Amino acid sequence: MSDLLIDPPGRQGPGQIGGHAVRALELAITKRSAGVLPGEHRSAGLGSGTELSQLRPYVEGDDVRHLDPAASARTGEPHVRLHVPERTLTTWVALDVSASMAFGTTRRLKSDVAEGVVRVVSRLGVRRGGRVALLRWGATTSATRVLPPKGGRAALGGIDRALAEGVAADRSIRTESFADALERLHRVARRPGLIVVASDLRDDSRWHRPLSLLARQHRVLVAEVSDPREHALPDAGIVVVVDPENGDHVEVDTSSARVRDAFAAAEAERRADVAERLRRSRVQHLQVSTEGDWLRDLGRALR
């Protein structure tokens, strides 16, 4: 475990993720990602596969297993079938482990929900022979991690270990922004695939352009994780609010309706700006919360 990441206090984990839920989401995520599953991608050249490319007379050196009995009988000479080979789908999961992800005031922390999204997407990604890779950002450079694409249990085991390491500690120095992470992802994810981002999107870096570049080559889904207390302040008198990223303390009088209204308006403006930037980037925007059933929310958003 990295000494630059911590197991956040109050960590609950994402909860039970049943196999039936993953199977139900498989069809939904396929629809949202425009059917990017193995067998639905064309690969260069000819080879074994399910889609017929051409039917032609047999020549010496052809694989006799590709002989087509019907065409051979119809024409009176041996014919072989050549197919377009299938390319397996690679799913890249980009996980935010910044200190703000350790916040939560309801059933779970935001990092718990992000963990659940990563686990579901990873399990979906290895189905049908697919591969899954992980890019983690939001802490110091030493704590960032890239797990290359793998399939099966090897991929899921590596992701489980990365998730267990936790998130960045409060006031840790972030050396890689969301924009930096997207640029790095653009360099390593060279073949078209599916990219799923799990983050609270509380990063002021100019991530719109690198996200747009990724969306030109890949199908991109961004799961924005939030907590209800980030949208509106409760009437709880004088409270001290701490920024986990830089440690700044601010005393707030939440009994003031004017203060609560101003906070809610500023947060609504910020979320509208995030949604607009995602829309301009032409990515799918999913919203999941620490409140309620995040798995159901994920499924509803994907339908």
Side-chain angles (χ1 to χ4, degrees), residues 110-131:
K110 289 189 289 184
S111 58
D112 294 330
V113 176
E115 177 183 338
V117 171
V118 171
R119 290 188 185 280
V120 169
V121 170
S122 300
R123 288 168 66 174
L124 290 172
V126 298
R127 286 174 177 261
R128 306 193 189 186
R131 301 188 302 166

Side-chain angles (χ1 to χ4, degrees), residues 137 174 176-179 200-205 207 277:
W137 92 94
R174 181 194 298 198
E176 184 176 43
S177 67
F178 186 26
D200 60 3
L201 299 180
R202 292 186 172 271
D203 187 312
D204 294 331
S205 64
W207 46 262
R277 285 200 277 173

Side-chain angles (χ1 to χ4, degrees), residues 4-33:
L4 302 173
L5 299 178
I6 63 167
D7 190 4
R11 183 177 188 176
Q12 299 292 320
Q16 185 68 28
I17 304 175
H20 66 284
V22 175
R23 287 190 294 272
L25 282 172
E26 180 177 18
L27 186 59
I29 200 170
T30 300
K31 187 183 298 183
R32 278 296 184 184
S33 58

Side-chain angles (χ1 to χ4, degrees), residues 65-222:
R65 293 174 296 180
H66 295 162
L67 284 170
D68 185 283
S72 300
R74 186 173 61 252
T75 61
E77 63 175 314
H79 274 67
V80 294
R81 298 168 64 92
L82 298 180
H83 297 82
V84 178
E86 297 171 357
R87 176 175 62 81
T88 58
L89 171 69
T90 297
T91 300
W92 280 87
V93 182
L95 175 64
D96 183 359
V97 295
S98 58
S100 64
M101 293 295 288
F103 179 75
T105 61
T106 56
R107 297 174 61 183
R108 295 183 173 85
L109 306 180
K110 289 189 289 184
S111 58
D112 294 330
V113 176
E115 177 183 338
V117 171
V118 171
R119 290 188 185 280
V120 169
V121 170
S122 300
R123 288 168 66 174
L124 290 172
V126 298
R127 286 174 177 261
R128 306 193 189 186
R131 301 188 302 166
V132 178
L134 173 73
L135 183 146
R136 185 175 69 188
W137 92 94
T140 63
T141 303
S142 322
T144 59
R145 171 173 287 192
V146 176
L147 299 179
K150 290 184 180 180
R153 294 182 179 179
L156 298 181
I159 290 175
D160 284 347
R161 288 189 290 273
L163 290 172
E165 293 180 1
V167 299
D170 287 355
R171 290 179 290 181
S172 59
I173 301 174
R174 181 194 298 198
T175 56
E176 184 176 43
S177 67
F178 186 26
D180 295 332
L182 292 173
E183 290 173 356
R184 186 151 60 103
L185 188 55
H186 184 68
R187 292 193 297 269
V188 296
R190 297 182 179 179
R191 292 185 176 181
L194 174 64
I195 293 177
V196 178
V197 177
S199 170
D200 60 3
L201 299 180
R202 292 186 172 271
D203 187 312
D204 294 331
S205 64
R206 297 185 177 182
W207 46 262
H208 168 67
R209 187 174 183 277
L211 187 62
S212 299
L213 290 176
L214 274 176
R216 292 179 186 177
Q217 185 179 5
H218 307 272
R219 300 288 179 180
V220 182
L221 291 86
V222 177

